[in-house]
Amino acid sequence: MDALEVRGVNKRFGGLQALNDVNLTVEEGRIHAIIGPNGAGKSTLLNCFVGRLTPDSGTVMFHGQNLLGKQPHQINQAGVSRVFQTPEIFSDLTVLENVMIPALAHRDGIFEFNAFKPLRKETDIKQRAIDVLEDLGMEDKVDMMASSMSRGDKRRLEMAMGLVQEPKLLLLDEPTAGMSRADTNNTIDVLRHIGDSRGLTMIIIEHDMHVVFSLADRISVLAQGTVIVEDAPENIKGNVKVQEAYLGGAH
Amino acid sequence: MLGLSRNDFLLLLFVLLLVAAAPMFLNPFPEGSEFAQFNAGYPDLMQRFVIFGIFAIGFNILFGLTGYLSFGHAAFLGAGSYAGVWMLKLLTINVIPAIVVSTLVAGVFSLIIGYISLRRSGIYFSILTLAFAQMSFALAASVLTPITGGETGLQTALHDPRILDGAGSVGGNIPAPSLFGLEMRHSWQVNVGDWLWTFNVGYYLSAFVLMIAFYIAIRIFRSPFGMMLKAVKSNNQRLSYTGISPRPYTLAAFVISGMYAGLAGGLMVAMDPLAGAERMQWTASGEVVLMTILGGVGTLIGPVLGAGLIKYFENIFSKINDNLLHQWFAFMPDGLEDFMVTIIHPFVGKGWHLTLGLMFMLVVIFLPGGLIGGLTGLYNRVFRRRSKAR
Ligand SMILES: Nc1ncnc2c1ncn2[C@@H]1O[C@H](COP(=O)(O)OP(=O)(O)OP(=O)(O)O)[C@@H](O)[C@H]1O
Ligand SMILES: [Mg+2]
């Protein structure tokens, strides 16, 4: 079954056609990678999925429901979580609180007036948050202020915030950029494990080909706003069009 | 205990001791001594300390947690005051209905203004709240005169209906607000040596309400709801991509802080049954902002401290005049004495605003966390703790 179906999406910024008739189908339970040179429109495409941008035309269907025109929090509540390229965390809060917020959102919905229940009595939520942070090797950082973390740790925190929601579709925008090789490998293991055990559908944008070929079931190549190739990983490496796109681009 | 962590419970206990003992330690100077005029332990001022403390605690729930800076909260204080006086006039001279209804009326009023103002954020939000408050002030002073008493203000009168207790109570005097017959203005005075302590009914009622208000604020700060409000301040955008709709959270915080303001307004008229439009003016809205920032935005006890400090300056510091200064510096040679008095003169008496302004600037520049933030920082540095923030 198809989890996400994107048809004919266009987005123009002034004179720049950032997305040009993009079509994309992501099957449920698969990991779908989107690669392409800098400025190809990859992040812009994700922005159209989570309600940050509205495409000029086209449709984005998620399990049969139209995501366009929905508010970001409604899209998230429908089961789509996003890990941002530039970490968007709650800098003034602790790492643990950063992960508890999405966990509470998943449990309680868009608004819950729980003003008298002590936070420390939310033991289940806290435990879930700690479990996810442990999976990502951050158990010793739970009480740190989020702002005081390294760039790589902020990305892992971002990922924890997405994973703790147990979404149906996880959108990952360059999750390993800025991470050490060891952390990158750990991240690959975590994502593969979750993909296998929960059958979570993922879209992952990456420049690191090691990550892409370790994880992806299918790859779309985006260049100048258009999907130029979509195929299985083994057919992508030797593809002439892909090589041209990358040679002509920044890489 | 009481659903609080150990530290929070101790803080609550500390505040309880503070307000309970205030009539004593706010009068450190013996009666009749040269410094007696710096005693702050008289009912009128102590009432103001706790009532503005309540106002600031509520304001901090909005500003301190969500970061939304309202410049119009005096409107809710004023609305609460008017509602309170009307209860004293129409229902009963007992203060309980006045206090309850003023809180509720301010709640409804803040729901309307908050719903509209929160469509914008940042400076536009602030301007919208300011505009609403100034509008309310202008209306209260003019068009709404039948309800508000216009420029003279609204007060209780001899022939008020007071349908619950009006019949038998009047003996030619306007009755004073009371709690089941115990008048708010009633005080017991105790002489201990040369010291005079005044225990006032109105003060202790206000202090009791302050304790409840403070307790509720702690619970809100430590709840999941409170954490969401902090998240709104930290990264509003991210919150919506996390599946939370920030608007109802900020609106709830706005209404809660509006109700605190209304409660403060209700207590004011319970102490002194008179409400005027100037209570809604922008200077009054600005004052609560200053209190909160001075004491420490987003800290639990900071706003109370800030409220106390500003009210102390306004009422006590302003009393220092040139005569007094001459007395103080009398030990100096005449030329030097005059020089010192001339230098200090602009900062005291009517110049208390100048001192307060300077102090405010120093705090904002050197102690971004306010006085409490500064103290916490010092404490952490002394005890070499990792700063876990407030
Ligand atoms: N909000 C915006 N307004 C105007 N132009 C934009 C906006 N967002 C993106 N662009 C432009 O659209 C193009 C595609 O940007 P996008 O961020 O989607 O690229 P990307 O494929 O994610 O690149 P990278 O690999 O560097 O992250 C770029 O030229 C960018 O400058
Ligand atoms: Mg990008």
Side-chain angles (χ1 to χ4, degrees), chain B residues 198-256:
Chain B
T198 309
F199 301 96
N200 169 259
V201 174
Y203 168 71
Y204 277 103
L205 176 70
S206 308
F208 176 72
V209 176
L210 171 86
M211 289 315 299
I212 297 175
F214 188 60
Y215 172 70
I216 294 177
I218 300 181
R219 291 295 294 257
I220 291 176
F221 266 64
R222 303 298 183 226
S223 69
F225 174 75
M227 180 170 65
M228 293 303 177
L229 297 184
K230 289 182 205 163
V232 167
K233 181 179 183 176
S234 187
N235 195 340
N236 202 4
Q237 288 289 316
R238 176 50 152 136
L239 204 53
S240 52
Y241 294 107
T242 306
I244 299 283
S245 174
R247 185 83 60 79
Y249 281 96
T250 44
L251 184 59
F254 192 93
V255 172
I256 291 171

Short mmCIF file of all heavy atoms in Angstrom, two decimals, chain B residues 198-256:
data_model
loop_
_atom_site.label_atom_id
_atom_site.label_comp_id
_atom_site.label_asym_id
_atom_site.label_seq_id
_atom_site.Cartn_x
_atom_site.Cartn_y
_atom_site.Cartn_z
N THR B 198 1.20 46.31 63.72
CA THR B 198 -0.21 46.42 63.38
C THR B 198 -0.65 45.19 62.60
O THR B 198 -0.13 44.92 61.52
CB THR B 198 -0.45 47.68 62.52
OG1 THR B 198 0.15 48.78 63.19
CG2 THR B 198 -1.93 47.93 62.32
N PHE B 199 -1.57 44.45 63.15
CA PHE B 199 -2.09 43.26 62.47
C PHE B 199 -3.47 43.59 61.93
O PHE B 199 -4.42 43.78 62.69
CB PHE B 199 -2.13 42.07 63.43
CG PHE B 199 -0.78 41.73 63.99
CD1 PHE B 199 -0.37 42.22 65.22
CD2 PHE B 199 0.10 40.93 63.25
CE1 PHE B 199 0.89 41.91 65.72
CE2 PHE B 199 1.36 40.62 63.75
CZ PHE B 199 1.76 41.12 64.98
N ASN B 200 -3.56 43.65 60.62
CA ASN B 200 -4.76 44.17 59.97
C ASN B 200 -5.53 43.04 59.28
O ASN B 200 -4.93 42.17 58.63
CB ASN B 200 -4.34 45.25 58.96
CG ASN B 200 -5.48 45.67 58.06
OD1 ASN B 200 -5.55 45.23 56.93
ND2 ASN B 200 -6.36 46.50 58.57
N VAL B 201 -6.84 43.06 59.41
CA VAL B 201 -7.68 42.01 58.83
C VAL B 201 -7.53 41.96 57.32
O VAL B 201 -7.32 40.91 56.72
CB VAL B 201 -9.17 42.23 59.20
CG1 VAL B 201 -10.05 41.22 58.49
CG2 VAL B 201 -9.37 42.16 60.71
N GLY B 202 -7.65 43.11 56.69
CA GLY B 202 -7.55 43.17 55.23
C GLY B 202 -6.23 42.63 54.73
O GLY B 202 -6.17 41.89 53.75
N TYR B 203 -5.15 42.98 55.44
CA TYR B 203 -3.84 42.48 55.03
C TYR B 203 -3.80 40.97 55.08
O TYR B 203 -3.35 40.31 54.13
CB TYR B 203 -2.72 43.06 55.89
CG TYR B 203 -1.43 42.33 55.66
CD1 TYR B 203 -0.73 42.51 54.46
CD2 TYR B 203 -0.93 41.42 56.59
CE1 TYR B 203 0.43 41.80 54.21
CE2 TYR B 203 0.23 40.71 56.34
CZ TYR B 203 0.91 40.90 55.15
OH TYR B 203 2.04 40.20 54.89
N TYR B 204 -4.29 40.40 56.18
CA TYR B 204 -4.19 38.94 56.29
C TYR B 204 -5.11 38.22 55.32
O TYR B 204 -4.77 37.14 54.83
CB TYR B 204 -4.39 38.48 57.74
CG TYR B 204 -3.10 38.62 58.51
CD1 TYR B 204 -2.88 39.67 59.39
CD2 TYR B 204 -2.06 37.72 58.27
CE1 TYR B 204 -1.67 39.81 60.05
CE2 TYR B 204 -0.84 37.85 58.92
CZ TYR B 204 -0.65 38.90 59.80
OH TYR B 204 0.56 39.04 60.42
N LEU B 205 -6.25 38.82 54.99
CA LEU B 205 -7.08 38.22 53.95
C LEU B 205 -6.33 38.24 52.62
O LEU B 205 -6.25 37.23 51.91
CB LEU B 205 -8.41 38.97 53.81
CG LEU B 205 -9.29 38.44 52.67
CD1 LEU B 205 -9.82 37.04 53.01
CD2 LEU B 205 -10.44 39.37 52.36
N SER B 206 -5.74 39.39 52.27
CA SER B 206 -4.99 39.50 51.01
C SER B 206 -3.82 38.53 51.01
O SER B 206 -3.52 37.89 50.00
CB SER B 206 -4.47 40.91 50.82
OG SER B 206 -5.51 41.84 50.95
N ALA B 207 -3.15 38.40 52.16
CA ALA B 207 -2.00 37.51 52.25
C ALA B 207 -2.43 36.06 52.06
O ALA B 207 -1.75 35.28 51.39
CB ALA B 207 -1.32 37.67 53.60
N PHE B 208 -3.60 35.72 52.61
CA PHE B 208 -4.13 34.37 52.43
C PHE B 208 -4.38 34.10 50.94
O PHE B 208 -4.02 33.05 50.41
CB PHE B 208 -5.43 34.23 53.24
CG PHE B 208 -6.13 32.92 53.06
CD1 PHE B 208 -5.61 31.76 53.61
CD2 PHE B 208 -7.31 32.84 52.33
CE1 PHE B 208 -6.25 30.54 53.44
CE2 PHE B 208 -7.96 31.63 52.14
CZ PHE B 208 -7.41 30.48 52.70
N VAL B 209 -5.00 35.08 50.27
CA VAL B 209 -5.26 34.93 48.83
C VAL B 209 -3.94 34.85 48.06
O VAL B 209 -3.80 34.06 47.13
CB VAL B 209 -6.13 36.10 48.31
CG1 VAL B 209 -6.31 35.99 46.81
CG2 VAL B 209 -7.48 36.10 48.99
N LEU B 210 -2.96 35.63 48.48
CA LEU B 210 -1.65 35.56 47.83
C LEU B 210 -1.07 34.15 47.93
O LEU B 210 -0.53 33.63 46.95
CB LEU B 210 -0.67 36.55 48.46
CG LEU B 210 0.79 36.41 47.98
CD1 LEU B 210 1.01 37.21 46.71
CD2 LEU B 210 1.79 36.81 49.03
N MET B 211 -1.20 33.54 49.08
CA MET B 211 -0.64 32.19 49.23
C MET B 211 -1.31 31.22 48.26
O MET B 211 -0.63 30.38 47.65
CB MET B 211 -0.83 31.70 50.68
CG MET B 211 0.03 32.38 51.72
SD MET B 211 1.76 32.58 51.27
CE MET B 211 2.28 30.88 51.05
N ILE B 212 -2.63 31.32 48.13
CA ILE B 212 -3.33 30.45 47.18
C ILE B 212 -2.85 30.74 45.76
O ILE B 212 -2.54 29.83 44.99
CB ILE B 212 -4.86 30.64 47.28
CG1 ILE B 212 -5.33 30.24 48.69
CG2 ILE B 212 -5.57 29.83 46.23
CD1 ILE B 212 -6.80 30.52 48.93
N ALA B 213 -2.78 32.02 45.43
CA ALA B 213 -2.36 32.42 44.09
C ALA B 213 -0.94 31.93 43.79
O ALA B 213 -0.65 31.45 42.70
CB ALA B 213 -2.42 33.94 43.95
N PHE B 214 -0.08 32.01 44.79
CA PHE B 214 1.30 31.58 44.62
C PHE B 214 1.37 30.07 44.46
O PHE B 214 2.09 29.55 43.60
CB PHE B 214 2.12 32.05 45.82
CG PHE B 214 3.59 31.84 45.67
CD1 PHE B 214 4.28 32.45 44.63
CD2 PHE B 214 4.31 31.05 46.55
CE1 PHE B 214 5.64 32.27 44.48
CE2 PHE B 214 5.67 30.86 46.41
CZ PHE B 214 6.34 31.47 45.37
N TYR B 215 0.58 29.37 45.27
CA TYR B 215 0.56 27.91 45.19
C TYR B 215 0.10 27.46 43.80
O TYR B 215 0.73 26.60 43.17
CB TYR B 215 -0.37 27.35 46.26
CG TYR B 215 -0.61 25.87 46.15
CD1 TYR B 215 0.41 24.96 46.42
CD2 TYR B 215 -1.85 25.38 45.74
CE1 TYR B 215 0.20 23.61 46.29
CE2 TYR B 215 -2.07 24.02 45.61
CZ TYR B 215 -1.05 23.14 45.89
OH TYR B 215 -1.25 21.79 45.75
N ILE B 216 -0.97 28.07 43.30
CA ILE B 216 -1.46 27.70 41.96
C ILE B 216 -0.39 27.99 40.91
O ILE B 216 -0.17 27.20 39.99
CB ILE B 216 -2.77 28.45 41.64
CG1 ILE B 216 -3.87 27.97 42.58
CG2 ILE B 216 -3.18 28.25 40.19
CD1 ILE B 216 -5.20 28.69 42.40
N ALA B 217 0.30 29.11 41.08
CA ALA B 217 1.36 29.45 40.11
C ALA B 217 2.46 28.39 40.11
O ALA B 217 2.94 27.99 39.05
CB ALA B 217 1.95 30.82 40.42
N ILE B 218 2.84 27.92 41.30
CA ILE B 218 3.88 26.87 41.34
C ILE B 218 3.38 25.63 40.61
O ILE B 218 4.10 25.04 39.80
CB ILE B 218 4.25 26.49 42.79
CG1 ILE B 218 4.77 27.70 43.55
CG2 ILE B 218 5.32 25.40 42.79
CD1 ILE B 218 5.18 27.38 44.98
N ARG B 219 2.13 25.26 40.88
CA ARG B 219 1.60 24.06 40.21
C ARG B 219 1.62 24.23 38.70
O ARG B 219 1.94 23.31 37.96
CB ARG B 219 0.17 23.78 40.69
CG ARG B 219 0.06 23.34 42.14
CD ARG B 219 0.71 22.00 42.39
NE ARG B 219 0.07 20.88 41.71
CZ ARG B 219 -0.73 20.01 42.32
NH1 ARG B 219 -0.97 20.10 43.60
NH2 ARG B 219 -1.27 19.00 41.65
N ILE B 220 1.25 25.43 38.22
CA ILE B 220 1.25 25.67 36.78
C ILE B 220 2.67 25.59 36.23
O ILE B 220 2.92 24.95 35.20
CB ILE B 220 0.61 27.04 36.46
CG1 ILE B 220 -0.89 26.98 36.76
CG2 ILE B 220 0.85 27.42 35.00
CD1 ILE B 220 -1.62 28.30 36.56
N PHE B 221 3.61 26.22 36.93
CA PHE B 221 5.00 26.20 36.47
C PHE B 221 5.53 24.77 36.32
O PHE B 221 6.33 24.49 35.44
CB PHE B 221 5.90 26.96 37.46
CG PHE B 221 6.12 28.40 37.10
CD1 PHE B 221 5.08 29.30 37.08
CD2 PHE B 221 7.39 28.86 36.78
CE1 PHE B 221 5.28 30.63 36.75
CE2 PHE B 221 7.60 30.19 36.45
CZ PHE B 221 6.54 31.08 36.44
N ARG B 222 5.12 23.89 37.22
CA ARG B 222 5.68 22.54 37.25
C ARG B 222 4.85 21.52 36.49
O ARG B 222 5.07 20.33 36.61
CB ARG B 222 5.82 22.08 38.71
CG ARG B 222 6.65 22.97 39.59
CD ARG B 222 8.08 23.07 39.12
NE ARG B 222 8.85 23.88 40.04
CZ ARG B 222 9.70 24.83 39.65
NH1 ARG B 222 9.89 25.06 38.37
NH2 ARG B 222 10.37 25.53 40.55
N SER B 223 3.83 21.97 35.74
CA SER B 223 2.94 21.04 35.06
C SER B 223 3.35 20.88 33.60
O SER B 223 4.12 21.67 33.08
CB SER B 223 1.51 21.58 35.12
OG SER B 223 1.41 22.73 34.31
N PRO B 224 2.82 19.85 32.94
CA PRO B 224 3.05 19.72 31.50
C PRO B 224 2.58 20.98 30.76
O PRO B 224 3.24 21.43 29.82
CB PRO B 224 2.19 18.52 31.10
CG PRO B 224 2.03 17.73 32.35
CD PRO B 224 2.04 18.72 33.47
N PHE B 225 1.46 21.54 31.21
CA PHE B 225 0.95 22.78 30.61
C PHE B 225 2.01 23.88 30.71
O PHE B 225 2.28 24.59 29.74
CB PHE B 225 -0.33 23.19 31.35
CG PHE B 225 -0.90 24.52 30.96
CD1 PHE B 225 -1.57 24.67 29.77
CD2 PHE B 225 -0.77 25.62 31.81
CE1 PHE B 225 -2.11 25.90 29.42
CE2 PHE B 225 -1.30 26.84 31.46
CZ PHE B 225 -1.98 26.99 30.26
N GLY B 226 2.61 24.02 31.89
CA GLY B 226 3.66 25.03 32.08
C GLY B 226 4.85 24.79 31.16
O GLY B 226 5.42 25.74 30.62
N MET B 227 5.19 23.53 30.96
CA MET B 227 6.31 23.22 30.07
C MET B 227 5.98 23.64 28.63
O MET B 227 6.83 24.17 27.91
CB MET B 227 6.64 21.73 30.12
CG MET B 227 7.80 21.35 29.21
SD MET B 227 8.40 19.68 29.48
CE MET B 227 7.00 18.70 28.98
N MET B 228 4.72 23.39 28.22
CA MET B 228 4.31 23.80 26.88
C MET B 228 4.42 25.32 26.73
O MET B 228 4.82 25.82 25.68
CB MET B 228 2.87 23.37 26.60
CG MET B 228 2.67 21.89 26.51
SD MET B 228 3.69 21.12 25.26
CE MET B 228 3.28 19.41 25.50
N LEU B 229 4.07 26.05 27.79
CA LEU B 229 4.16 27.51 27.72
C LEU B 229 5.61 27.93 27.55
O LEU B 229 5.93 28.84 26.78
CB LEU B 229 3.56 28.15 28.98
CG LEU B 229 2.06 27.91 29.22
CD1 LEU B 229 1.60 28.68 30.44
CD2 LEU B 229 1.24 28.32 28.01
N LYS B 230 6.52 27.25 28.26
CA LYS B 230 7.94 27.56 28.08
C LYS B 230 8.39 27.23 26.66
O LYS B 230 9.23 27.92 26.09
CB LYS B 230 8.79 26.77 29.08
CG LYS B 230 8.65 27.24 30.50
CD LYS B 230 9.56 26.42 31.42
CE LYS B 230 9.02 26.43 32.84
NZ LYS B 230 9.58 25.37 33.68
N ALA B 231 7.82 26.17 26.11
CA ALA B 231 8.17 25.79 24.74
C ALA B 231 7.68 26.84 23.74
O ALA B 231 8.34 27.11 22.74
CB ALA B 231 7.60 24.41 24.40
N VAL B 232 6.52 27.44 24.03
CA VAL B 232 6.02 28.52 23.18
C VAL B 232 7.04 29.64 23.12
O VAL B 232 7.36 30.18 22.06
CB VAL B 232 4.67 29.08 23.72
CG1 VAL B 232 4.32 30.39 23.04
CG2 VAL B 232 3.56 28.07 23.53
N LYS B 233 7.59 29.98 24.29
CA LYS B 233 8.56 31.06 24.36
C LYS B 233 9.84 30.68 23.63
O LYS B 233 10.44 31.49 22.92
CB LYS B 233 8.87 31.36 25.83
CG LYS B 233 9.86 32.48 26.04
CD LYS B 233 10.07 32.71 27.53
CE LYS B 233 10.99 33.86 27.79
NZ LYS B 233 11.10 34.10 29.24
N SER B 234 10.23 29.43 23.79
CA SER B 234 11.51 28.97 23.24
C SER B 234 11.46 28.84 21.72
O SER B 234 12.37 29.28 21.02
CB SER B 234 11.88 27.63 23.87
OG SER B 234 13.16 27.25 23.49
N ASN B 235 10.43 28.22 21.20
CA ASN B 235 10.34 27.99 19.75
C ASN B 235 8.91 27.65 19.36
O ASN B 235 8.53 26.49 19.23
CB ASN B 235 11.30 26.87 19.34
CG ASN B 235 11.52 26.83 17.84
OD1 ASN B 235 10.72 27.36 17.08
ND2 ASN B 235 12.58 26.18 17.42
N ASN B 236 8.15 28.72 19.15
CA ASN B 236 6.74 28.61 18.83
C ASN B 236 6.49 27.76 17.57
O ASN B 236 5.61 26.91 17.53
CB ASN B 236 6.23 30.04 18.60
CG ASN B 236 4.76 30.15 18.77
OD1 ASN B 236 4.10 29.18 19.12
ND2 ASN B 236 4.23 31.32 18.52
N GLN B 237 7.31 28.01 16.53
CA GLN B 237 7.19 27.31 15.26
C GLN B 237 7.33 25.81 15.44
O GLN B 237 6.52 25.02 14.97
CB GLN B 237 8.30 27.78 14.30
CG GLN B 237 8.12 29.16 13.77
CD GLN B 237 6.99 29.18 12.78
OE1 GLN B 237 6.89 28.31 11.93
NE2 GLN B 237 6.13 30.17 12.89
N ARG B 238 8.41 25.44 16.15
CA ARG B 238 8.72 24.03 16.32
C ARG B 238 7.57 23.31 17.01
O ARG B 238 7.27 22.17 16.70
CB ARG B 238 10.02 23.90 17.12
CG ARG B 238 10.43 22.49 17.45
CD ARG B 238 10.40 21.61 16.20
NE ARG B 238 11.34 20.53 16.27
CZ ARG B 238 11.04 19.27 15.90
NH1 ARG B 238 9.81 18.97 15.50
NH2 ARG B 238 11.96 18.34 15.92
N LEU B 239 6.94 24.01 17.94
CA LEU B 239 5.85 23.41 18.69
C LEU B 239 4.74 22.94 17.76
O LEU B 239 4.18 21.87 17.94
CB LEU B 239 5.31 24.42 19.70
CG LEU B 239 4.60 23.86 20.93
CD1 LEU B 239 5.45 22.83 21.64
CD2 LEU B 239 4.22 24.98 21.87
N SER B 240 4.46 23.73 16.73
CA SER B 240 3.37 23.31 15.85
C SER B 240 3.79 22.12 14.98
O SER B 240 2.96 21.28 14.67
CB SER B 240 2.89 24.47 14.98
OG SER B 240 3.96 25.07 14.33
N TYR B 241 5.09 22.02 14.63
CA TYR B 241 5.53 20.84 13.88
C TYR B 241 5.64 19.62 14.78
O TYR B 241 5.92 18.53 14.33
CB TYR B 241 6.87 21.11 13.20
CG TYR B 241 6.75 22.16 12.13
CD1 TYR B 241 7.25 23.44 12.31
CD2 TYR B 241 6.06 21.89 10.95
CE1 TYR B 241 7.10 24.41 11.35
CE2 TYR B 241 5.88 22.85 9.98
CZ TYR B 241 6.41 24.12 10.19
OH TYR B 241 6.23 25.07 9.24
N THR B 242 5.44 19.84 16.09
CA THR B 242 5.49 18.75 17.05
C THR B 242 4.08 18.29 17.40
O THR B 242 3.88 17.44 18.26
CB THR B 242 6.24 19.26 18.32
OG1 THR B 242 7.49 19.78 17.89
CG2 THR B 242 6.50 18.18 19.32
N GLY B 243 3.08 18.87 16.74
CA GLY B 243 1.71 18.41 16.93
C GLY B 243 0.94 19.18 17.98
O GLY B 243 -0.13 18.76 18.40
N ILE B 244 1.50 20.30 18.43
CA ILE B 244 0.83 21.12 19.43
C ILE B 244 0.33 22.40 18.77
O ILE B 244 1.05 23.01 18.00
CB ILE B 244 1.82 21.51 20.55
CG1 ILE B 244 2.36 20.28 21.25
CG2 ILE B 244 1.17 22.48 21.53
CD1 ILE B 244 1.44 19.64 22.22
N SER B 245 -0.87 22.80 19.08
CA SER B 245 -1.36 24.09 18.60
C SER B 245 -1.04 25.14 19.66
O SER B 245 -1.61 25.12 20.74
CB SER B 245 -2.87 24.00 18.38
OG SER B 245 -3.37 25.27 18.04
N PRO B 246 -0.11 26.06 19.38
CA PRO B 246 0.32 27.00 20.42
C PRO B 246 -0.78 27.95 20.87
O PRO B 246 -0.81 28.37 22.02
CB PRO B 246 1.45 27.79 19.74
CG PRO B 246 1.86 26.98 18.55
CD PRO B 246 0.64 26.23 18.13
N ARG B 247 -1.71 28.29 19.98
CA ARG B 247 -2.70 29.32 20.27
C ARG B 247 -3.53 29.05 21.53
O ARG B 247 -3.59 29.90 22.42
CB ARG B 247 -3.61 29.52 19.04
CG ARG B 247 -4.63 30.63 19.16
CD ARG B 247 -4.08 32.01 18.84
NE ARG B 247 -3.56 32.13 17.49
CZ ARG B 247 -4.30 32.29 16.39
NH1 ARG B 247 -5.60 32.33 16.47
NH2 ARG B 247 -3.73 32.41 15.23
N PRO B 248 -4.17 27.87 21.67
CA PRO B 248 -4.95 27.66 22.89
C PRO B 248 -4.10 27.70 24.16
O PRO B 248 -4.60 28.13 25.21
CB PRO B 248 -5.57 26.27 22.70
CG PRO B 248 -4.97 25.69 21.49
CD PRO B 248 -4.34 26.78 20.71
N TYR B 249 -2.84 27.31 24.05
CA TYR B 249 -1.98 27.38 25.23
C TYR B 249 -1.73 28.83 25.63
O TYR B 249 -1.86 29.19 26.80
CB TYR B 249 -0.63 26.67 24.97
CG TYR B 249 -0.74 25.17 25.09
CD1 TYR B 249 -0.93 24.37 23.98
CD2 TYR B 249 -0.69 24.55 26.34
CE1 TYR B 249 -1.05 23.00 24.09
CE2 TYR B 249 -0.81 23.19 26.46
CZ TYR B 249 -0.99 22.40 25.34
OH TYR B 249 -1.12 21.05 25.46
N THR B 250 -1.39 29.67 24.64
CA THR B 250 -1.13 31.06 24.99
C THR B 250 -2.41 31.74 25.45
O THR B 250 -2.38 32.55 26.38
CB THR B 250 -0.55 31.83 23.78
OG1 THR B 250 -1.29 31.48 22.62
CG2 THR B 250 0.90 31.48 23.56
N LEU B 251 -3.54 31.37 24.84
CA LEU B 251 -4.80 31.99 25.25
C LEU B 251 -5.14 31.60 26.70
O LEU B 251 -5.54 32.45 27.50
CB LEU B 251 -5.94 31.59 24.30
CG LEU B 251 -7.29 32.25 24.58
CD1 LEU B 251 -7.18 33.77 24.52
CD2 LEU B 251 -8.36 31.77 23.61
N ALA B 252 -4.92 30.34 27.03
CA ALA B 252 -5.18 29.91 28.40
C ALA B 252 -4.30 30.68 29.37
O ALA B 252 -4.76 31.14 30.42
CB ALA B 252 -4.95 28.40 28.54
N ALA B 253 -3.03 30.85 29.01
CA ALA B 253 -2.11 31.60 29.89
C ALA B 253 -2.58 33.04 30.01
O ALA B 253 -2.53 33.64 31.09
CB ALA B 253 -0.69 31.54 29.33
N PHE B 254 -3.04 33.60 28.91
CA PHE B 254 -3.52 34.99 28.91
C PHE B 254 -4.72 35.14 29.85
O PHE B 254 -4.78 36.07 30.66
CB PHE B 254 -3.90 35.40 27.48
CG PHE B 254 -4.12 36.87 27.31
CD1 PHE B 254 -3.08 37.69 26.90
CD2 PHE B 254 -5.36 37.45 27.55
CE1 PHE B 254 -3.27 39.05 26.73
CE2 PHE B 254 -5.56 38.81 27.39
CZ PHE B 254 -4.51 39.61 26.98
N VAL B 255 -5.65 34.20 29.74
CA VAL B 255 -6.85 34.28 30.58
C VAL B 255 -6.50 34.08 32.05
O VAL B 255 -6.99 34.80 32.93
CB VAL B 255 -7.91 33.25 30.12
CG1 VAL B 255 -9.07 33.19 31.10
CG2 VAL B 255 -8.41 33.61 28.73
N ILE B 256 -5.61 33.13 32.33
CA ILE B 256 -5.20 32.92 33.73
C ILE B 256 -4.59 34.20 34.29
O ILE B 256 -4.94 34.64 35.39
CB ILE B 256 -4.21 31.75 33.83
CG1 ILE B 256 -4.91 30.43 33.53
CG2 ILE B 256 -3.59 31.70 35.23
CD1 ILE B 256 -3.97 29.25 33.39
#
